[in-house]
Amino acid sequence: MYLTDSRGSQAAAVPDTRPGRRPAAVPSTVLALGAVSLITDVSSEMITAVLPLYVIAGLGLSPLGFGLLDGINNGVGALVRLAGGHLADRGGRRHKAVAGLGYGLSALCKPLLLLAHTLPVLSAVLAVDRTGKGLRTAPRDAMISLATEPAHRGRAFGVHRAMDTTGALLGPLVAFAVLRATVDGYDAVFTVSGCVAVLGVLVLVLFVPRRIDAPAEAVRRPGPPESSSRPPELRDAVRLLRLPELRRLTLCAALLGLTTVSDSFLYLLLQREGDLPAHLFPLLPLGTAAFFLLLAVPLGALADRVSRRRLFLAGHGVLLLGYGLVLSPWHGVPAVVAVLVLHGTFYAATDGVLAAATAGVVPAQHQGAGQALVGTGQALARFVCSLAFGAAWSLWGGRSALAVTAVALAVGAVVASFVLRPTDEVRA
């Protein structure tokens, strides 16, 4: 059943350290996980591309109602990330099993969207789907961290995110094609999405090693007190916050997450400000995905050479510029393209870079829990932002809500620049 296991999972996952051989900067395990993410993101982004119009134009929900749904996308998954990371760290590092459970749950939810025609049912289906995402994210990033030499983690995460973003690029295109080719477009999108998600699960089962051991130099980083001589426990995940560097990363990820407007809201604003036809809406994520894809690897490699934390902060500065363009008098297609370029650059400078920075300050036996802590803080903050932004849009309008968010982002970036002092940077 497990092709990689029959070939020797450890040999496939551990870098080659024989004399005269340099470990690969991007191991085969990372490429396999990238393929899983690519396929799964095709499925997920098909849904993401049509969901805003489906719930607002199709189901007639208000922006506040969509804010609730979008908040579920970010918040529910965050609530199970810690559990997913902890379960993956225990029992001889069951990262693949926990990740597989998460991918499987999300795949099961795609066909259920065919039955979701009211806000409560749609909310429940999305909650289960995001539970699957929450379970798989930390184990997946832990496997990337464990399989890669510390000096190359920025590049490895960049390659993974580039492959993941290729799926994000293809997903809206597939959704657009399905909408144009079918009569009951939304139902057809949900059906095709479910089939693609099942394919992603199969690739994970067949090609990702069952066990991944970290390079020796990564194991030496000390863990939280009283945790090195026994299997990790759930309370050890919270105790990781005693590590000053991890605590600062988590705090800043959450602080900046509070001012990060969700993609869906930003695309809705762009569509309205740019007077784009509704049928072009699913194509807006393509601009973000295209520049994320182009820049993820070079910015990841740059983070390995300089400062991952500085690049993370710079990415939020780029996002602030994007907010400013949306609020500026400059409208039309060129303005929309410019915002999408900045949006993609923001993700390339923050997503994989934050995971690489986290891996450098967490001991190998707690990689799942460490990634989950930072991801949970960021996801919960974005959940709050989605709810607050949806309410602000309903009360004041989209432009005013974005203006308030932009001011808050500027303040948050200044605070984070002091918290993430350059002297604390751990490049490994």
Side-chain angles (χ1 to χ4, degrees):
M1 179 178 180
Y2 297 94
L3 295 184
T4 52
D5 296 341
S6 64
R7 299 170 185 168
S9 61
Q10 288 186 333
V14 180
D16 189 349
T17 57
R18 288 178 293 175
R21 298 294 298 275
R22 296 183 61 186
V26 183
S28 59
T29 298
V30 176
L31 298 178
L33 287 167
V36 175
S37 294
L38 188 158
I39 297 168
T40 302
D41 236 38
V42 171
S43 171
S44 298
E45 292 302 321
M46 288 179 65
I47 303 299
T48 301
V50 302
L51 190 63
L53 286 180
Y54 177 66
V55 299
I56 292 178
L59 301 183
L61 298 180
S62 67
L64 179 59
F66 178 71
L68 175 61
L69 286 176
D70 197 65
I72 288 172
N73 273 342
N74 287 309
V76 173
L79 295 177
V80 298
R81 281 196 186 194
L82 282 178
H86 166 69
L87 290 173
D89 288 338
R90 288 185 62 85
R93 300 200 187 107
R94 295 176 293 189
H95 299 96
K96 178 178 177 178
V98 177
L101 175 61
Y103 281 110
L105 275 178
S106 294
L108 288 173
C109 286
K110 300 302 188 295
L112 294 180
L113 289 171
L114 294 168
L115 308 175
H117 301 297
T118 62
L119 180 59
V121 176
L122 190 60
S123 299
V125 173
L126 290 177
V128 177
D129 177 67
R130 294 301 93 179
T131 297
K133 181 175 177 60
L135 283 174
R136 71 180 184 249
T137 300
R140 180 203 66 200
D141 285 350
M143 284 190 282
I144 296 172
S145 300
L146 292 170
T148 308
E149 291 290 333
H152 300 302
R153 280 174 176 156
R155 182 189 299 271
F157 274 104
V159 169
H160 173 268
R161 296 317 196 251
M163 296 180 72
D164 182 89
T165 305
T166 301
L169 192 65
L170 294 174
L173 284 174
V174 176
F176 177 74
V178 172
L179 284 175
R180 294 299 298 268
T182 59
V183 177
D184 297 325
Y186 292 122
D187 288 349
V189 168
F190 299 153
T191 301
V192 174
S193 174
C195 295
V196 175
V198 171
L199 177 61
V201 175
L202 290 176
V203 173
L204 175 75
V205 170
L206 295 175
F207 296 105
V208 175
R210 183 174 58 185
R211 179 181 172 89
I212 301 172
D213 290 329
E217 59 189 284
V219 179
R220 298 191 187 106
R221 179 165 293 279
E226 304 174 359
S227 66
S228 59
S229 60
R230 54 179 170 77
E233 297 180 1
L234 187 57
R235 59 185 176 183
D236 291 330
V238 179
R239 285 177 177 172
L240 286 173
L241 290 176
R242 296 181 183 179
L243 301 173
E245 294 158 343
L246 182 64
R247 185 168 61 245
R248 289 168 184 163
L249 274 177
T250 304
L251 174 63
C252 290
L255 177 64
L256 296 172
L258 285 171
T259 56
T260 302
V261 176
S262 75
D263 295 357
S264 297
F265 273 130
L266 187 63
Y267 297 148
L268 283 171
L269 277 171
L270 280 177
Q271 189 262 333
R272 295 188 179 189
E273 295 295 327
D275 295 323
L276 297 177
H279 72 274
L280 295 180
F281 183 85
L283 299 181
L284 287 178
L286 296 181
T288 295
F291 280 89
F292 189 178
L293 174 62
L294 289 174
L295 295 174
V297 176
L299 288 182
L302 178 64
D304 287 334
R305 294 195 301 270
V306 290
S307 168
R308 292 166 185 163
R309 300 182 183 192
R310 284 181 178 175
L311 194 60
F312 177 71
L313 291 174
H316 285 85
V318 170
L319 179 64
L320 184 60
L321 289 177
Y323 289 174
L325 276 183
V326 175
L327 295 170
S328 72
W330 186 31
H331 298 301
V333 174
V336 171
V337 172
V339 172
L340 295 177
V341 169
L342 293 172
H343 200 221
T345 305
F346 156 70
Y347 276 118
T350 57
D351 191 6
V353 171
L354 179 61
T358 302
V361 299
V362 178
Q365 67 271 27
H366 294 291
Q367 278 293 324
Q371 295 288 347
L373 270 176
V374 177
T376 296
Q378 186 180 63
L380 286 177
R382 289 181 176 180
F383 168 73
V384 174
C385 182
S386 289
L387 293 180
F389 193 87
W393 186 331
S394 297
L395 291 174
W396 308 326
R399 288 180 60 86
S400 297
L402 186 62
V404 172
T405 305
V407 172
L409 175 58
V411 174
V414 171
V415 173
S417 68
F418 284 100
V419 176
L420 296 179
R421 296 186 293 272
T423 54
D424 293 327
E425 173 68 23
V426 179
R427 291 173 56 190

